[in-house]
């Protein structure tokens, strides 16, 4: 079974060593910096580095942003579900016994 890959937006520079240096630096920076800090560094890379380096850095920062957006929504949903279970709200006999009917 094969997986189709999508060509990145920076396909013209995808074989340039500076492109891979930018991606590698962004990968290393992701361990010690937040995504917002990396966006600022990517903006500075446009002014002070080569275009392929900046594109490689931006590509990795974009991937990190998408990963963060996807994971945070899933973690929030999981936290709400497990919190309800830990507090026993979904199965507690005591909770359901003391629940009062609403008045109309």
């Amino acid at each position: 079974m094969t997986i189709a890959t999508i060509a990145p937006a920076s396909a013209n520079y995808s074989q340039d060593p500076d492109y891979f240096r930018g991606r590698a630096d962004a990968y290393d920076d992701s361990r010690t910096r937040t995504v917002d800090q990396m966006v600022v560094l990517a903006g500075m890379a446009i002014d002070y580095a080569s275009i392929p380096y900046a594109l490689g850095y931006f590509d990795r920062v974009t991937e990190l942003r998408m990963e963060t957006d996807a994971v945070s929504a899933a973690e929030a949903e999981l936290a709400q579900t497990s919190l309800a279970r830990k507090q026993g709200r979904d199965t507690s006999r005591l909770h359901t016994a003391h629940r009062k009917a609403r008045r109309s």
Side-chain angles (χ1 to χ4, degrees), residues 46-88:
I46 291 173
D47 295 333
Y48 299 109
S50 65
I51 291 173
Y53 179 90
L55 284 173
Y57 200 94
F58 260 116
D59 282 349
R60 182 63 188 144
V61 171
T62 303
E63 290 170 3
L64 287 170
R65 175 66 75 184
M66 288 189 294
E67 289 171 10
T68 302
D69 292 345
V71 169
S72 62
E75 286 178 345
E77 184 175 340
L78 179 65
Q80 289 298 321
T81 305
S82 65
L83 183 63
R85 288 190 184 130
K86 281 184 182 178
Q87 293 176 349

Side-chain angles (χ1 to χ4, degrees), residues 4 8-9 11 15 17-18 22 25 33 39-40 52-53 59 65 69-70 73 75 82 85 96-97 102:
Q15 298 304 317
D18 281 344
D25 285 348
R33 300 177 194 268
V39 169
V40 172
Y53 179 90
D59 282 349
R65 175 66 75 184
D69 292 345
E75 286 178 345
S82 65
R85 288 190 184 130
T96 54
R102 290 185 180 176

